[in-house]
Amino acid sequence: MNKAAYHHGDLRTALLEAADTLLAEQGAAGLSLRAVAKRAGVSHTAPYRHFRDKAALLSALAAEGFRLLAEGLEAAAARHVDDPARQLKEAGRVYVTTALAHPQRARLMFGGNVALSDHDPVYQAAGERAFNGLQQIIHAGQAAGVFRDDPVRPLALSLWSAVHGLVMLLLAEQIGDVPAGDPARVATMISWVTEVTLSGVLHRDSPGNS
Amino acid sequence: MNKAAYHHGDLRTALLEAADTLLAEQGAAGLSLRAVAKRAGVSHTAPYRHFRDKAALLSALAAEGFRLLAEGLEAAAARHVDDPARQLKEAGRVYVTTALAHPQRARLMFGGNVALSDHDPVYQAAGERAFNGLQQIIHAGQAAGVFRDDPVRPLALSLWSAVHGLVMLLLAEQIGDVPAGDPARVATMISWVTEVTLSGVLHRDSPGNS
DNA sequence: ACCTGAACACCGTTCAAGT
DNA sequence: ACCTGAACACCGTTCAAGT
């Protein structure tokens, strides 16, 4: 753990850790590559050995976030395999709480401000994996007769949009009476959105929803 | 329209126009106050006569975006007063298309990266106005027996989240097969999301949706 | 009131150079 | 291979000064 060892072969990790700390403190806008290098105890040009430019470092940070999110979603789905509706609700809950646990990272991941679409295959991979998982749950729910027998893609996109939208509204503090910090109120909103999206808005003669 | 007149009393507007152009071209990250000043034909310190700092300029830009969006939503709602479901679908369409028509401005408005929450009352006002309008539509729909008789706020939040989430996913180019530029595919997705959110995902014995 | 130019403390990135 | 220090062209912001 001495300086020489720390900066020997593991500088990339050290830079990512430093960047993650600074990101959480000040957001992506206030994060400077020079500050990251300084925090890692290295000259301000050293990062260029490991990242093509600043965007590449932020990109790596976002990629890690997508990986963690995908894992959390899969774990949530694995917990209630025989109850598709519950799987969706739990996955939605994990999606929102994971993002809000690291708001600056989530803004980085979802804000679309970094050149994340720079063909870094990690995003595509994580996104596709998550979306495929979602579609599989829906398919299972249809096979079990719990979900409507509509085409899967519209259903999946709607669920994803609803949960993603809630995250973004909370992150941007655009929901009037919620200062984005109250976990209980956030939990309530998650329930609202997932349950309404599952049940729909239109009037129905035979409710039958939990 | 000579230089002297242009920079006389209307520099604020000129700066906002220059900033809007640069924003559309390069995004908020690549927008420099000095470039805005240069484009407006003025020294790089002149903007400080009209905006406290760079964030204030961006904030004004976002505020204008919220105002335009709120107007569009109200116009859409006014077009189909006697058909609440149609009002919601049309408002959703306007929400998505307006944002995608000026993607960089939308990222600025919704990304949560600018200090928009700096108590600029315009955001709160525009947001509340839009949300209240949404709740009124739902209320009318319930009175007409078209919508479920559930509490209004969860229904409103769910619709808002779904449409907002679709916008953000498209803006971040996080939807696998849509390069965010194809209007026909975007229109399809809007229909999917609004209709599924209205009808729900769960199986229902008596469909009855349009 | 409104604008300017110099100045300050930062940036990201490049490049020759050191080990 | 990996890191450094100087250098370049930018930033946002402040401030004394001009009209």
Side-chain angles (χ1 to χ4, degrees), chain A residues 182-197:
Chain A
D182 185 338
R185 282 194 61 66
V186 169
T188 302
M189 297 179 125
I190 298 172
S191 304
W192 285 358
V193 169
T194 52
E195 272 165 34
V196 169
T197 308

Side-chain angles (χ1 to χ4, degrees), chain B residues 12 16 51 55-65 108 116 120 123:
Chain B
R12 195 192 135 93
L16 284 173
F51 301 98
L57 201 171
L58 292 176
S59 197
L61 234 42
E64 174 70 3
L108 178 67
L116 299 180
D120 198 322
Y123 309 113

Side-chain angles (χ1 to χ4, degrees), chain B residues 60-112:
Chain B
L61 234 42
E64 174 70 3
F66 280 115
R67 205 182 53 75
L68 289 171
L69 179 59
E71 281 177 8
L73 290 176
E74 281 166 11
R79 251 177 256 128
H80 311 281
V81 198
D82 47 354
D83 187 345
R86 180 114 191 241
Q87 279 183 298
L88 293 184
K89 286 181 200 170
E90 278 301 297
R93 200 184 54 74
V94 167
Y95 194 95
V96 178
T97 55
T98 302
L100 293 183
H102 301 280
Q104 297 290 6
R105 184 194 290 167
R107 272 191 263 262
L108 178 67
M109 292 163 62
F110 300 138

Side-chain angles (χ1 to χ4, degrees), chain B residues 108-193:
Chain B
L108 178 67
M109 292 163 62
F110 300 138
N113 284 316
V114 196
L116 299 180
S117 48
D118 268 358
H119 306 300
D120 198 322
V122 186
Y123 309 113
Q124 295 287 2
E128 304 244 336
R129 217 169 76 183
F131 195 62
N132 286 338
L134 178 53
Q135 297 196 78
Q136 277 169 30
I137 296 174
I138 292 173
H139 191 73
Q142 289 178 328
V146 187
F147 296 156
R148 315 169 90 208
D149 236 342
D150 292 352
V152 175
R153 292 186 56 76
L155 296 179
L157 181 65
S158 300
L159 286 161
W160 189 16
S161 292
V163 169
H164 187 72
L166 179 60
V167 167
M168 297 311 292
L169 289 173
L170 287 169
L171 278 177
E173 297 183 36
Q174 254 151 10
I175 296 182
D177 49 354
V178 173
D182 186 338
R185 281 193 63 61
V186 168
T188 302
M189 295 179 126
I190 298 172
S191 305
W192 285 358
V193 168

